[in-house]
Amino acid sequence: MIKALVFDMGGVLIRLNGQRCVDAFKKKAGFDDIEDYLDLFHQKGFIGEFEKGAINEDEFYRRCLEHCRPGTTPDVLEECLDKILVDVNPSAVSLIKECEGKYPMYVLSNNNPISLRCFEKMLVQAGIPMDKVFKEIFFSFRMKVLKPSREIYERMIAAIGLPPEEILFIDDSEKNVTGAEAVGLKTLHYRPDGDLRTQVEILLSGRY
């Protein structure tokens, strides 16, 4: 029996557009090799270090500016990075409102403090403020470890305090789902074109 829900942020709660972000970095900042670092599922190089909490915002901006045309500012970089975010997934909003009060809900996300500021505003506007809806939020940059590392799932499970088979973890990355299954979590590999509420309701009802 599933007793708790854990959501990934980008790609599940928030819809993403990686190409729009890449295009913004190239056009607005002159960061022509951005695709060597930016990935929709797992960031690489110094962007991966930023999401792991291995470097802070100042160091992220410094490393980023090394790739950009002269005159580029941190504000431009933040604007480019935020272009990856499209909107809040309507089916996620519907699901969360349906499950609120029935299941404790959590977030486990590879993330960074810049995108987090945008996430918070978007979710408030959608009527699901993070600090009120989710019992606890696990971000990679705070935990200093990234999905799909075994450690991040084990620490999350310990904090939730339930057996892993009673926790449903929802992610749009196959690697992250595979990592979660390896520690015994129930999982849903969510595809962005699917209806999240319907998929989760089927799992919760046991019709699978």
Side-chain angles (χ1 to χ4, degrees):
M1 181 183 293
I2 293 168
K3 296 182 180 178
L5 307 179
V6 181
F7 298 88
D8 176 37
M9 184 69 77
V12 175
L13 297 182
I14 305 288
R15 295 193 288 195
L16 305 179
N17 186 326
Q19 191 58 52
R20 188 172 73 170
C21 182
V22 166
D23 292 344
F25 269 109
K26 289 182 176 181
K27 293 174 183 177
K28 294 187 176 185
F31 193 156
D32 292 329
D33 58 340
I34 182 63
E35 288 163 300
D36 292 340
Y37 302 90
L38 187 68
D39 183 272
L40 200 57
F41 297 114
H42 300 99
Q43 311 305 341
K44 297 164 280 189
F46 72 91
I47 298 183
E49 291 175 24
F50 189 36
E51 295 211 329
K52 193 177 181 180
I55 61 174
N56 61 22
E57 282 190 56
D58 288 341
E59 179 63 11
F60 166 77
Y61 287 132
R62 188 191 70 78
R63 300 271 292 274
C64 210
L65 288 170
E66 290 177 351
H67 296 262
C68 299
R69 71 171 65 95
T72 303
T73 66
D75 285 343
V76 170
L77 296 178
E78 186 165 339
E79 182 183 341
C80 293
L81 191 61
D82 287 345
K83 287 293 184 183
I84 200 170
L85 311 177
V86 178
D87 58 14
V88 179
N89 185 347
S91 67
V93 174
S94 179
L95 172 65
I96 288 168
K97 290 183 175 180
E98 174 69 24
C99 291
E100 196 169 7
K102 299 177 182 177
Y103 297 89
M105 292 180 285
Y106 303 83
V107 169
L108 176 63
S109 176
N110 285 351
N111 225 303
N112 65 77
I114 297 174
S115 293
L116 173 57
R117 292 194 288 268
C118 239
F119 283 143
E120 289 174 327
K121 293 177 185 176
M122 294 172 75
L123 292 173
V124 166
Q125 291 169 354
I128 50 171
M130 290 173 59
D131 59 339
K132 303 207 182 299
V133 170
F134 301 109
K135 189 169 181 179
E136 194 165 351
I137 299 166
F138 305 96
F139 283 125
S140 59
F141 74 92
R142 292 174 178 163
M143 299 176 77
K144 311 296 184 184
V145 61
L146 293 165
K147 295 181 292 184
S149 166
R150 186 180 185 91
E151 179 186 348
I152 199 168
Y153 300 113
E154 290 178 339
R155 288 169 59 186
M156 179 197 73
I157 292 166
I160 292 174
L162 290 171
E165 63 271 16
E166 295 180 357
I167 302 169
L168 176 61
F169 172 70
I170 306 158
D171 202 294
D172 62 322
S173 162
E174 185 174 0
K175 286 183 180 179
N176 292 346
V177 167
T178 299
E181 289 172 346
V183 299
L185 289 162
K186 294 289 186 183
T187 63
L188 171 61
H189 182 197
Y190 174 66
R191 272 74 171 182
D193 58 348
D195 184 281
L196 182 62
R197 179 178 178 177
T198 300
Q199 293 177 29
V200 172
E201 285 180 343
I202 289 171
L203 287 171
L204 295 178
S205 69
R207 303 194 311 270
Y208 65 100

